[in-house]
Amino acid sequence: MHIVPGADNDPVFVGVGEIKSGKFPDRTHVQALTQVGVRALKDAGMKPADIDTVLLIPNLHSFDEQADLIFSRMVEELGLNKHAKANFMVHSGGSTSDNAVRVASGLLSAGHAKNVLVLQAELWGSADLAQMITMLSWNGIPKQWERPVGLHFNAIGALIQQRYMVDSGSSPEDMAGVCVSLRKWAQLNPNAMFGHKPLTVEQVLASKMISDPLRALECPPLADGGVGFVMTTAGEAKRRGIPGVRIAGSGGCVSHYSIGQETELSVLGWKIAAERAYEQSGWGPEDADFGEIYDSYAAVTAIAAEGMGLCKPGEGARWILQSTGPGGEFPLNTNGGLLSAGHTGVGGGTALLAEGIRQMLGRAESERQIEKVDRCIVGGSGGSYMDSQVLLLEKAATR
């Protein structure tokens, strides 16, 4: 379906809500989801009764609690029984937010939904650590070939980082610099898990080796957290007199299932995904003002930046340190990213998307708010980096 920019059925984001990431053992899953939902609605100038569709992003800490979501727990919590038209879940790992946006957009543009509330919350930081390690050593790891040799997600990140370092000539210091740049943004984010802790390259390189070449401070910290956002149509936003952010382009590439079958570890699917998004939007990387790109490991973000055309091939890691921190020419992951704001499971990518929306609506804290926010590139990746997803956002017309 072709949607004319600014047409009444053009899908737009109008509000976001978030809670602090970290370890909060006394905060329940439903409590977290309710808080982010209420905050997102308030940010959009709406109330629960305005929502007719609840779209859920799954958690990984408990399949029992995930089942509750599928069976409409949040519809009841928000007082929407017999009012909501639909309650369902979308799941593609770290790229879920990208695909959830596509689903919500289709519902809105086709008239199947009027206002959609997207919710995500995770209790990774407070969950049983042994159980989470087991999960990250099993889910998405092919049982016939890779699971028997002990492959786990930090090892997958290490394989990608090692290949990238060889192909790009990046040093350990270059890779550590990515973490440092992200930490600078986290220090401006009151919801970031490690916003209170400065970080240096020396500290990163002195931390414990986890899976060569990855050290402890290069691995994403498991965190509790949550985020929500509201989508509607441009026509409804204009009727309400509220600003919105539209989706100018969308592109994706599913490149593999088993990481052992990915022949281009230092490239992945980012170039293909970005080209598809740019073609749809009519604009390119040179037109973007900032970016929010999945960063579970430094190499993942560096590879994505290169594939999206934000920097020269082989320069991703060095470019991130030199050009993307606070005051840099291209702000990147302005919430601190997964590596400093905290890895909230499937919600890591959702938090980055929400940050992009927040910035474009001009609602970040003053010291973190970017001045020019007309266009944003958002990138997500799921599972064993089996896919690369790109959303291109731009401010919607308000009249």
Side-chain angles (χ1 to χ4, degrees), residues 57-139:
I57 291 177
N59 63 276
L60 299 176
H61 70 271
S62 167
F63 289 115
D64 287 342
E65 293 199 318
Q66 181 169 291
D68 269 359
L69 302 187
I70 296 170
F71 292 116
S72 303
R73 174 71 184 271
M74 292 311 300
V75 168
E76 183 166 291
E77 290 292 332
L78 293 169
L80 298 177
N81 284 349
K82 297 188 178 179
H83 174 77
K85 295 168 64 175
N87 172 96
F88 61 97
M89 183 174 286
V90 176
H91 196 352
S92 62
S95 63
T96 299
S97 54
D98 306 88
N99 290 315
V101 166
R102 292 171 180 140
V103 172
S105 295
L107 293 172
L108 290 162
S109 61
H112 295 305
K114 184 176 181 180
N115 299 310
V116 179
L117 176 62
V118 181
L119 298 174
Q120 179 276 330
E122 182 58 78
L123 302 184
W124 252 9
S126 300
D128 183 276
L129 183 58
Q131 290 181 11
M132 296 304 100
I133 290 174
T134 299
M135 180 197 67
L136 292 170
S137 302
W138 283 66
N139 289 1

Side-chain angles (χ1 to χ4, degrees), residues 297-372:
Y297 300 100
V300 172
T301 317
I303 292 167
E306 293 174 18
M308 292 177 180
L310 295 171
C311 60
K312 294 179 180 179
E315 292 298 317
R318 289 179 283 271
W319 173 78
I320 290 172
L321 178 60
Q322 295 166 5
S323 304
T324 71
E329 63 184 33
F330 190 85
L332 184 69
N333 293 13
T334 53
N335 68 339
L338 285 73
L339 284 166
S340 276
H343 193 338
T344 52
V346 176
T350 315
L352 287 165
L353 170 62
E355 172 67 7
I357 300 165
R358 181 186 295 112
Q359 288 282 354
M360 296 190 76
L361 291 173
R363 295 172 187 167
E365 292 76 17
S366 59
E367 63 271 22
R368 197 169 92 249
Q369 179 64 53
I370 305 166
E371 288 187 19
K372 193 173 187 301

